[in-house]
Amino acid sequence: MLQFHIAVCDDEPFAAASISGAADRELLRLGAEARIESFGDVTGLAARVQEEGFDLILLDIEMPQVNGLEFARALRSAGNKTEIVFVSNSEDRVFESLPLRPLAFVRKSHFTEDMAQAIQAFVRSWKSLKTDRVVTLKMAHAMGTFSVDDIIYVEARRRDKILHMVNGRTEVVIVTLEELGEKLAPVGFCRVHKGFLVNFAHVSQLSSKGIVMDNGESIPISRGTIKEVKLAYMDFLSNKNAVVM
């Protein structure tokens, strides 16, 4: 089952609850589920985006202090590409939102119909980008499907295997690092240490001292595998037509 992390931001608690419920019901109908967090203003949402990140933000426009358009503009200026759906009574502001590349605009006057279409568009968009490069893994209470492109590295922490994702969140899966390494090797992952599996697509620097990922985190390399890891990384780059100097 597809799993998503979704934020709802509306300063009216009843509206936020309605948006969360409608999104959850439509996702379940489509064979997906979500962990949904609600926020009454963009201040709390902004802090949470920094901490963990979301797959989708359902965002009201008319809010006190900082409105939804201003918040979305700040996200895009920072390079954040999280999908955004505006949910608003202000239908006249739909054209103002277009430069921010929202996935959809839900009119509260046509809430049920528009929300269903927005969630359907979100799932279609996700599937079109991820279908060919996903991995389905067992979790504590469900099966989770993840885009391999969104996994920066995998960490073995005692019995837990932790996926570190591009949006800042982590997911715990039930699988051995050996099994996961075999499954992900064809798409550019490499076992660089007894406790780490890295996605070469997210490597920023590689040396005998270790690996720096593109999120700034450092990963150790086992001494006995340094030469093997470097050769594997060179092969990965050559297959991507990268220029190696």
Side-chain angles (χ1 to χ4, degrees):
M1 178 177 283
L2 297 177
Q3 295 187 324
F4 301 109
H5 189 198
I6 296 176
V8 172
C9 188
D10 195 304
D11 60 314
E12 298 179 7
F14 178 78
S18 297
I19 294 167
S20 297
D24 193 43
R25 287 191 298 274
E26 186 61 24
L27 284 168
L28 285 173
R29 193 186 71 80
L30 296 171
E33 62 182 15
R35 178 160 58 99
I36 301 177
E37 297 185 42
S38 293
F39 303 87
D41 57 54
V42 300
T43 302
L45 173 58
R48 197 74 176 111
V49 168
Q50 290 291 329
E51 290 173 1
E52 189 166 354
F54 296 92
D55 299 305
L56 173 67
I57 299 175
L58 299 166
L59 184 62
D60 185 23
I61 289 181
E62 299 297 342
M63 290 186 287
Q65 298 179 340
V66 180
N67 68 42
L69 290 174
E70 292 170 336
F71 175 74
R73 195 170 291 116
L75 276 186
R76 295 298 188 241
S77 295
N80 189 302
K81 297 180 181 179
T82 302
E83 295 281 22
I84 296 173
V85 170
F86 288 112
V87 186
S88 180
N89 279 319
S90 305
E91 296 180 20
D92 58 325
R93 305 194 73 172
V94 61
F95 294 106
E96 189 179 351
S97 74
L98 294 181
L100 302 172
R101 304 183 302 282
L103 179 67
F105 192 102
V106 173
R107 301 163 294 175
K108 288 185 177 178
S109 59
H110 296 73
F111 178 76
T112 302
E113 178 185 355
D114 285 3
M115 179 58 74
Q117 291 178 357
I119 296 301
Q120 291 164 21
F122 167 66
V123 173
R124 281 198 307 271
S125 173
W126 194 91
K127 285 183 175 179
S128 69
L129 291 173
K130 313 293 184 180
T131 298
D132 295 332
R133 293 174 62 85
V134 298
V135 59
T136 300
L137 302 168
K138 185 178 180 181
M139 304 177 74
H141 303 291
M143 297 298 290
T145 299
F146 308 94
S147 164
V148 298
D149 301 307
D150 288 346
I151 303 172
I152 299 177
Y153 67 94
V154 184
E155 176 186 6
R157 192 180 297 169
R158 296 182 180 178
R159 296 180 64 182
D160 292 336
K161 307 304 177 293
I162 303 169
L163 309 182
H164 293 258
M165 314 295 287
V166 295
N167 58 8
R169 78 173 188 261
T170 57
E171 301 284 357
V172 178
V173 296
I174 302 173
V175 64
T176 68
L177 210 58
E178 289 78 11
E179 292 173 325
L180 199 52
E182 290 179 8
K183 184 174 290 190
L184 296 178
V187 290
F189 283 70
C190 181
R191 181 82 174 270
V192 300
H193 185 275
K194 65 179 181 180
F196 292 94
L197 182 70
V198 304
N199 184 350
F200 278 150
H202 289 287
V203 169
S204 177
Q205 298 177 35
L206 188 153
S207 70
S208 56
K209 296 180 181 180
I211 297 173
V212 179
M213 308 306 293
D214 57 11
N215 66 347
E217 295 188 54
S218 297
I219 307 296
I221 301 180
S222 298
R223 288 185 179 181
T225 63
I226 292 174
K227 184 176 180 180
E228 179 183 341
V229 170
K230 286 184 175 180
L231 288 172
Y233 185 51
M234 295 293 282
D235 284 342
F236 171 81
L237 292 178
S238 64
N239 289 334
K240 292 293 182 180
N241 296 317
V243 176
V244 182
M245 301 180 67

